[in-house]
Amino acid sequence: MCNLSAGYLFKKITVSLIALSGIIALANALPAHAKTVMANLLPNGPGRPFTWAAYPTTEIGIADARLGTEITPTGSLFTGYGELILEIGANAHRVCAPIRTLAHGFLPVIHYHFYDHSVRYGVTLFSWALSPREPDRHPINFIRIKAFNFANTSATSHLTVAFRYGGGKHCFPRPSITAVPGKYFQPGVHFNPHWTYGFHSGLAIRSGKVVFTFPTETNPQLLLAHGKAYSHPQKLAITALTPALMVRYAVHLKAGQQMELNFKMPVQPIATTNPVALRRLRQLTLSKALGDCRTWWRRQIRAKGLQLYLPEKKVVNTFRASEMYLMLARDRWPAKRPGGRSIYVQTVNKLQYHAFWLRDGSYMIRAYDLTGHANRAAQCLNFILDQQKPNGNFISQPGEHDGWGEALWAIGQHYQLTGNLHFARRVFPHIQRAVTWLAKARRRDPLHLIPGGKPFDDEFPNGTWAHITGDNFYALDGLHEAILLADALGHTATATAWRQEYRDYHHVLFQRLRKIGRSDGDYMPPGLGVEGGHDWGNMLALYPHELLLPNDPLVTGTLQHTLREYAEGLMTYGVQLHDYLGMNNTETWIIRGQQRSVLRDLYAILVHTSATQAGWECGPPAWSTRNYGGDLAPHGWFAADYIAVVRNMLIRGQHNTLQLLSVLSPKWTQPGDILSLQNAPTRFGPLNLWSVFTANGMVLHIHADFRKPPAQICLHIPWYVSPIGATADGHAVKISGRSLILPVNVRRVYMYWQRAGNLRNWSYCAFVKRFEHAWRSRYFRGAALSFGNGPDAWPK
C-alpha cells in the first residue's frame, strides 16, 4: 500500500468531513471551466491505496461461469437481475466506498470499509458456487459486514441492505441473451414495474424469486421501500433506481464490541418453487465458501504455472490479479452435441465486454501460455479454430482482417511455448487452409496485401475503408508462425513455399511503407493510401514478431510520432487516454534495449490502475474527469498486455537467443532483494531462475530444462550500474556493452558492479507521488506541470 495522498490537501489531515469540506471550498473557488473539466483527487485520501479512476469498478465471479457481478463505484453489487446496495445512518443515505482492495492483493475477494461516526464497517465480497458438483454454475455472491465500535463508549448505528433494479452510467447494458458462444451475452431481465416485493423467513423475494438472503437473529426492520413498512407482498410504484426490499439493522455496540452480518445474493435469482436450490442456498455458510474460494484461487495462481516474485508488491499483485481477471472473463458453454467437449470462450470481461474478439482473445490466450496455464490456452484455441470460415479465413467481426494473423499467431505461440507436437499435428490442416486463403487474397488484392476493410474500430472507428498497416503486420506474424509449425512437423516443401510467400509479402508491404515514410519522417501510418486514423497496429513492427531490425528508421520514426500523442504517461486514442495501447511501444522499448523508457511506461501504466489492480481501455481526455464512464474495468486485453510486458522484461526469446533480465527497476535490486521466476515457459523450454542482489552486484542462479536449447543466453546489465566484472560457473565472462553472453549450460553467474546514487524516483510509489503533485499543480494553480508527455518529461 502506498499512503501517498496524505499531502493531498494538507500535510497532516484525517479522513473526515473537515478534509472533504476543504476540498469542496477550494473547488468552488476555481473558475467554472476548471471545475467542469478537471476532477479533484477523490476518492483518494490519507491511508488509502491509490486508485486513478474517480469512479473505479471491478468484478467478482467464478472462473468459467457465464454470469458475473460488477462492483460499482459506490461498492454495490450489480448483476443482470438487479443491484444490492448498502445504506447507512438513521436517515439511510447511500454508502459510497470507491476504494476497494483484493485479498492478498490478487484474489477475487473484495474488501472495503466505511464509517458511521465511531462505528467502522468492514465489508467482504466474493462469489462461490451454489453446488460443488457444478463449480462454475449458479454463482452466489457472499457479503460479510463486520461492524466495530472503536469508541470508548457505547454506540448505535443503522445499516440497511436493499435491492433495486439499478443501472446507469457506470453499469453494463443488460439483458442480452444469445445461444451463440462468443456473442455479447448478459443474462438478466428488463425492469418490470409490475413486480411484487416481499419477505419470508430471511428471504427477500421479487415476484416469486429470491434476490438475497439476510440474517434475522437481531430482528431487523423490514420495509418495502423508504417509509413503507412491510406487512405483506405487494406491488410498488417505483422506478428502476428506487431501493426496495429494505432490511434495516439497528447496530448496538458497546465500546470495542464487534458484530457480524452475513448475506447471500444469487447472481441469478432462485425461484421459491425450487426447493433443492433453496435448501442448498440456506445450507451454504460464508466461512466455508470463503475458505474454498481462497484455496481454489491460490492453487490456480500460486501453485500452478509461472511463479513470479519481485520486491515491489504493486508490480507482482497486478501480474497475479491479471491472471485472475483472465480466468474470470472466460466462459464455459455446454457441448453442442451429447458427449462432446465443452466450449471455452475467452471474453474480455463479464461486464460491457462480455463477448469474443479474435484480437483481444489472441493476446489473452497467449497470456495463459506465458504464465504456464497451457491447458486453459488449448481449450480456448479450440474456439478460435471454430471461427475459421470455410474459405480458410479467420474473422470474428465483419470488415476486420486483423483476425487472420492474430489467430495463426496465437496458435503458433502455443506450440512454441509448449512444444506439443500432438497439438501441432491437429491444427496444421487449419493452418494450411488459412495460408491458402491468404495467398489467394493477396493475388486478388490490387496492392498484393491482405484485403482492406472498414473495421469501425481501432484504427478507423469512423468506418473508413483502408488497407490497414497493422492487419498486414499481424498477417506476417501469423505466416511466420505457420512456417515454424511446418518446419517442426517436417513439411519441408510447404515451409519453403510459405517462406517465399513471406518474403514477397514482406517486400511488397515495406517497400510501400518506406515510400510513404520518406515524406513523413519515416512514420508508418495506420492505413496505406488514406489520411488520418488512430495509431494502433502500425506500432507493431517489432512485437510480437520482429518484422524489421530494432533500429530500423521506420521503427524509430513511428515511435517518435506516437510519443507526441502521450499524456499523463499513457498513449492517447484520439483525445482519450488509452490504458494499454501504449504497451505496444513498451514491448518495442524492451527489444531496443531502452530500459528507462520501459520503466517509465510500466510505472505510468500502474499509476492508472485501480487499488484492485484493474486496467481499462478508453478513458476521458488527459487531466480531466478520470471518469471512464461505461468502459468498465477490469479489461482483459489490458491484463494480457501487462502480463506480457512484465514477463518480457525478465525473460524472453529473441531469434535463437534467450534474453534474461532485459529491464530491472532500481526498486528491485536493492541489497538483500530477491527476484525469482519459477516454471517460466519459453520457446526453448521451461526455466527457473532466481537472483540475489548485494551492495556490489548480483548472484544469478539458472536451472533450465530445454527442449531445444538456445544458441546462447544474453544477460542484460541495468542502465544504472557500472559493471566491474563477471563470472559464469567460476569462469570469467567478458562484458560486452550492456550485456553478458553466457554459455547455454550456465548455472551460476556472479556480476560485480558499482551502483549509481539517487534512484528513489524509480518506483510505483514515487510515480504516484509525481502524478499527484502534477494533478494538484494543475487543479489548484493551473500550472502546466508535465507528466509523461514523452521520455524527457519523466524522472531521470
Side-chain angles (χ1 to χ4, degrees):
M1 179 185 297
C2 294
N3 300 334
L4 298 174
S5 294
Y8 167 47
L9 205 57
F10 305 104
K11 291 198 174 177
K12 292 184 180 179
I13 181 173
T14 61
V15 180
S16 65
L17 289 174
I18 296 173
L20 182 58
S21 63
I23 293 168
I24 293 172
L26 284 169
N28 288 335
L30 290 172
H33 173 74
K35 285 187 285 186
T36 56
V37 171
M38 192 172 186
N40 56 39
L41 272 175
L42 292 177
N44 299 288
R48 291 183 167 190
F50 183 78
T51 194
W52 174 84
Y55 305 96
T57 59
T58 190
E59 67 178 301
I60 56 175
I62 302 173
D64 296 340
R66 287 190 287 150
L67 298 91
T69 299
E70 175 190 343
I71 309 302
T72 71
T74 63
S76 64
L77 292 85
F78 179 81
T79 73
Y81 299 89
E83 183 178 7
L84 189 79
I85 63 175
L86 302 181
E87 297 181 339
I88 194 70
N91 295 325
H93 60 269
R94 280 287 302 278
V95 167
C96 185
I99 300 292
R100 285 79 62 134
T101 58
L102 301 175
H104 302 288
F106 65 92
L107 300 178
V109 178
I110 306 291
H111 297 300
Y112 67 80
H113 65 268
F114 56 90
Y115 292 88
D116 183 26
H117 300 288
S118 67
V119 178
R120 181 188 189 275
Y121 288 92
V123 180
T124 298
L125 312 172
F126 68 98
S127 295
W128 202 237
L130 181 65
S131 170
R133 296 182 180 179
E134 298 177 295
D136 61 352
R137 291 294 180 267
H138 310 298
I140 305 297
N141 293 326
F142 292 82
I143 304 98
R144 182 178 67 191
I145 302 176
K146 289 185 177 181
F148 174 71
N149 178 18
F150 57 82
N152 294 324
T153 59
S154 297
T156 297
S157 175
H158 294 86
L159 173 73
T160 303
V161 176
F163 195 82
R164 67 178 188 175
Y165 183 72
K169 178 162 136 175
H170 296 106
C171 296
F172 54 79
R174 43 77 197 249
S176 181
I177 309 300
T178 179
V180 181
K183 299 300 182 183
Y184 181 71
F185 181 66
Q186 203 56 259
V189 294
H190 293 285
F191 177 72
N192 186 344
H194 304 294
W195 276 324
T196 299
Y197 301 84
F199 299 98
H200 178 70
S201 300
L203 305 176
I205 302 168
R206 185 182 68 188
S207 287
K209 294 186 177 180
V210 176
V211 294
F212 71 92
T213 73
F214 57 92
T216 59
E217 295 83 0
T218 56
N219 297 314
Q221 182 185 8
L222 304 182
L223 301 96
L224 288 175
H226 282 293
K228 189 174 182 63
Y230 174 70
S231 60
H232 62 277
Q234 55 186 289
K235 295 179 182 179
L236 298 173
I238 60 176
T239 71
L241 299 182
T242 305
L245 294 174
M246 309 182 76
V247 183
R248 178 169 296 173
Y249 295 86
V251 180
H252 305 292
L253 296 172
K254 297 178 180 179
Q257 187 179 7
Q258 179 173 286
M259 175 182 179
E260 180 174 324
L261 299 168
N262 294 330
F263 305 82
K264 288 173 274 192
M265 174 193 181
V267 177
Q268 183 172 11
I270 297 174
T272 55
T273 55
N274 188 342
V276 175
L278 285 181
R279 184 171 61 252
R280 288 177 179 171
L281 182 64
R282 289 186 182 278
Q283 290 173 346
L284 285 173
T285 64
L286 186 143
S287 58
K288 174 69 164 57
L290 181 58
D292 290 345
C293 175
R294 285 175 165 167
T295 298
W296 191 90
W297 281 103
R298 281 198 195 103
R299 186 182 303 121
Q300 298 305 309
I301 296 174
R302 293 299 304 272
K304 296 182 179 180
L306 181 150
Q307 300 303 307
L308 166 69
Y309 177 77
L310 294 169
E312 191 168 21
K313 284 185 176 180
K314 179 65 176 182
V315 177
V316 176
N317 285 340
T318 304
F319 188 93
R320 292 172 177 165
S322 294
E323 292 182 71
M324 177 269 291
Y325 286 133
L326 293 182
M327 295 178 190
L328 276 188
R330 196 174 79 157
D331 290 352
R332 182 178 70 84
W333 289 70
K336 291 182 179 179
R337 294 176 298 277
R341 57 175 167 81
S342 294
I343 301 168
Y344 291 91
V345 183
Q346 187 62 57
T347 72
V348 176
N349 60 26
K350 290 293 195 296
L351 311 179
Q352 85 285 5
Y353 284 131
H354 194 189
F356 173 80
W357 287 263
L358 272 169
R359 69 174 71 91
D360 304 58
S362 64
Y363 280 87
M364 296 165 76
I365 292 167
R366 181 170 176 262
Y368 286 136
D369 278 323
L370 291 177
T371 52
H373 298 287
N375 186 55
R376 288 184 174 274
Q379 290 169 334
C380 296
L381 286 171
N382 288 330
F383 185 72
I384 280 191
L385 294 174
D386 292 342
Q387 305 311 297
Q388 189 171 32
K389 306 304 179 185
N391 64 2
N393 191 15
F394 283 95
I395 189 168
S396 56
Q397 280 75 33
E400 300 180 3
H401 292 293
D402 55 343
W404 185 93
E406 289 156 342
L408 267 67
W409 169 69
I411 293 167
Q413 282 290 294
H414 181 70
Y415 169 71
Q416 294 295 325
L417 290 165
T418 64
N420 188 334
L421 281 171
H422 174 75
F423 170 82
R425 294 188 189 99
R426 182 169 66 85
V427 302
F428 195 69
H430 292 271
I431 303 300
Q432 289 175 302
R433 293 199 300 275
V435 177
T436 298
W437 175 87
L438 177 70
K440 290 179 179 178
R442 286 191 61 227
R443 285 198 294 270
R444 290 192 299 264
D445 185 78
L447 300 185
H448 300 294
L449 302 174
I450 204 164
K454 292 183 178 181
F456 289 98
D457 205 349
D458 298 347
E459 290 90 346
F460 295 99
N462 61 353
T464 297
W465 188 95
H467 283 88
I468 296 174
T469 303
D471 292 2
N472 288 280
F473 286 177
Y474 280 126
L476 284 171
D477 296 342
L479 186 53
H480 171 74
E481 295 292 341
I483 293 166
L484 295 180
L485 271 177
D487 282 334
L489 295 174
H491 298 296
T492 305
T494 298
T496 300
W498 290 354
R499 281 192 175 89
Q500 180 57 41
E501 182 78 26
Y502 181 94
R503 285 192 291 267
D504 179 72
Y505 192 175
H506 190 282
H507 172 75
V508 168
L509 175 62
F510 285 101
Q511 183 182 51
R512 184 169 293 274
L513 285 171
R514 290 191 192 283
K515 183 177 179 180
I516 295 170
R518 279 196 291 271
S519 62
D520 195 12
D522 289 317
Y523 166 61
M524 297 179 289
L528 300 165
V530 298
E531 297 293 328
H534 296 294
D535 291 312
W536 192 273
N538 55 316
M539 302 161 65
L540 296 171
L542 289 191
Y543 179 85
H545 169 59
E546 288 182 55
L547 301 173
L548 297 171
L549 293 174
N551 292 315
D552 189 287
L554 289 178
V555 176
T556 302
T558 304
L559 278 172
Q560 291 172 343
H561 180 99
T562 56
L563 277 173
R564 294 195 289 270
E565 301 171 31
Y566 276 58
E568 289 190 27
L570 295 183
M571 181 74 178
T572 56
Y573 182 76
V575 300
Q576 295 178 307
L577 292 170
H578 199 290
D579 203 22
Y580 62 84
L581 178 57
M583 283 192 260
N584 293 337
N585 280 345
T586 314
E587 295 284 5
T588 300
W589 300 131
I590 293 173
I591 294 169
R592 285 166 60 104
Q594 295 175 254
Q595 298 180 31
R596 276 173 284 194
S597 296
V598 175
L599 283 175
R600 290 175 188 127
D601 279 10
L602 175 72
Y603 287 130
I605 290 161
L606 288 172
V607 165
H608 288 82
T609 60
S610 68
T612 54
Q613 337 299 0
W616 36 277
E617 187 171 29
C618 283
W623 309 109
S624 66
T625 63
R626 302 197 327 279
N627 181 359
Y628 47 63
D631 195 0
L632 309 172
H635 196 287
W637 197 346
F638 170 91
D641 274 357
Y642 180 82
I643 285 170
V645 162
V646 173
R647 181 264 189 187
N648 290 338
M649 289 171 65
L650 302 176
I651 181 172
R652 61 191 174 89
Q654 187 174 358
H655 305 299
N656 290 322
T657 298
L658 177 62
Q659 307 278 350
L660 300 182
L661 308 186
S662 296
V663 184
L664 292 178
S665 170
K667 178 67 175 176
W668 310 341
T669 60
Q670 300 295 318
D673 281 346
I674 297 174
L675 177 157
S676 72
L677 276 171
Q678 304 296 316
N679 303 319
T682 76
R683 70 174 67 170
F684 310 108
L687 184 76
N688 298 326
L689 67 82
W690 62 97
S691 183
V692 179
F693 297 93
T694 69
N696 301 314
M698 64 177 285
V699 183
L700 176 66
H701 302 264
I702 302 172
H703 287 274
D705 184 16
F706 293 132
R707 293 186 305 271
K708 182 181 178 183
Q712 59 186 12
I713 297 176
C714 179
L715 175 63
H716 294 263
I717 301 172
W719 93 89
Y720 48 84
V721 304
S722 300
I724 297 172
T727 64
D729 294 333
H731 302 286
V733 179
K734 181 180 178 181
I735 297 172
S736 177
R738 304 300 301 179
S739 62
L740 305 177
I741 302 301
L742 304 172
V744 175
N745 61 350
V746 66
R747 290 293 178 266
R748 181 177 297 178
V749 179
Y750 287 88
M751 188 185 305
Y752 306 95
W753 62 49
Q754 184 176 354
R755 187 181 172 96
N758 182 12
L759 296 167
R760 289 175 296 178
N761 283 332
W762 293 97
S763 71
Y764 166 70
C765 290
F767 269 62
V768 170
K769 284 182 179 178
R770 179 174 173 79
F771 176 81
E772 290 187 317
H773 177 58
W775 194 278
R776 287 196 304 272
S777 297
R778 289 170 177 263
Y779 185 77
F780 292 118
R781 297 193 296 273
L785 181 63
S786 180
F787 182 83
N789 297 318
D792 294 336
W794 292 84
K796 301 297 183 186

